[in-house]
Amino acid sequence: MSRLLHISASPRGAASASLAIAGVFLDAYRAAHPEEVVDHFDLWDGSLPEFGPAAATAKMTVIGGGTPTGEQAEAWAAAVATFERFDAYDRYLFSVPMWNSTVPYKLKQFIDVVSQPGLIFGVHPETGYSSLLTGKRAAVVYTSSVWGPGLGPEFGADHQSGFFNDWLRWTGITDIQEIRFHPTLTGDADLARKRAEESAREIARAF
């Protein structure tokens, strides 16, 4: 039995387009896979630990073959617990609004917390990085209101999906499905929303 975790990066609640489209995906997923486990990790719920000086030092201690102690050990334990919460699933749905051409800082914080040696990646002085997450799948809802495909640089740039898809592949998650909603300032928002929801349902049924 598969387990799906929805990781949401928007703090806007009912006003969030990415959360609403994710909801369409989840409704279709539950209908198609009624026996599957579906859980939610709201990155804004206060449970995501900080990744500050103690955690950064702990990470470098582990990379160097040592064992964190004291404050570092506490920060390392919090990072490992967050990773274990993430790793307990084999299917992921990420809802990701565009903030300033890239992802919300809470999603970057999540990435920094879980991207740890021996958990997400291995590293070798001769062969470089190795990806440690395998056999998992991801669907990502990407939304933006100003930037859109085909628009010029005066409307911004997409550092959102390039950054996040690259991170997923780096972890070992290479089966990635995208659901996009980019109505732009002058586009047909209703039509774009309808197409995004249709895409969400189609991907969810086969996910």
Side-chain angles (χ1 to χ4, degrees), residues 186-203:
T186 58
D188 187 333
D190 291 339
L191 178 60
R193 182 65 167 264
K194 180 180 179 180
R195 288 174 174 170
E197 292 178 352
E198 288 173 350
S199 177
R201 293 186 187 97
E202 180 179 354
I203 292 171

Side-chain angles (χ1 to χ4, degrees), residues 2-198:
S2 293
R3 293 166 54 85
L4 183 145
L5 180 63
H6 172 210
I7 298 178
S8 58
S10 174
R12 299 187 65 228
S16 169
S18 64
L19 280 172
I21 294 169
V24 172
F25 178 102
L26 292 171
D27 287 344
Y29 184 85
R30 290 188 178 101
H33 312 282
E35 74 286 358
E36 307 295 340
V37 173
V38 177
D39 291 318
H40 182 207
F41 185 178
D42 178 1
L43 297 181
W44 298 88
D45 67 6
S47 64
L48 185 62
E50 295 294 328
F51 197 79
T57 303
K59 179 175 186 172
M60 298 312 297
T61 297
V62 171
I63 289 177
T67 300
T69 59
E71 185 182 10
Q72 295 177 30
E74 294 179 8
W76 180 252
V80 170
T82 304
F83 166 78
E84 290 175 343
R85 178 180 180 182
F86 173 58
D87 190 44
Y89 299 82
D90 61 338
R91 300 287 187 272
Y92 302 105
L93 171 65
F94 294 89
S95 47
V96 184
M98 180 179 284
W99 280 22
N100 300 311
S101 295
T102 184
V103 302
Y105 75 89
K106 278 294 181 183
L107 180 55
K108 181 59 167 61
Q109 181 181 338
F110 168 80
I111 289 170
D112 290 339
V113 169
V114 301
S115 297
Q116 302 302 335
L119 304 179
I120 290 284
F121 68 92
V123 64
H124 188 277
E126 295 180 359
T127 58
Y129 286 113
S130 57
S131 303
L132 301 182
L133 296 185
T134 58
K136 298 175 184 283
R137 306 180 66 188
V140 189
V141 178
Y142 288 116
T143 64
S144 66
S145 58
V146 178
W147 177 85
L151 295 180
E154 63 273 21
F155 291 93
D158 179 16
H159 302 301
Q160 172 197 40
S161 61
F163 164 75
F164 191 63
N165 286 351
D166 282 350
W167 178 76
L168 287 172
R169 287 189 287 265
W170 178 69
T171 71
I173 302 173
T174 57
D175 187 344
I176 305 167
Q177 302 291 323
E178 294 185 5
I179 302 155
R180 289 184 170 270
F181 177 57
H182 307 296
T184 76
L185 296 175
T186 58
D188 187 333
D190 291 339
L191 178 60
R193 182 65 167 264
K194 180 180 179 180
R195 288 174 174 170
E197 292 178 352
E198 288 173 350

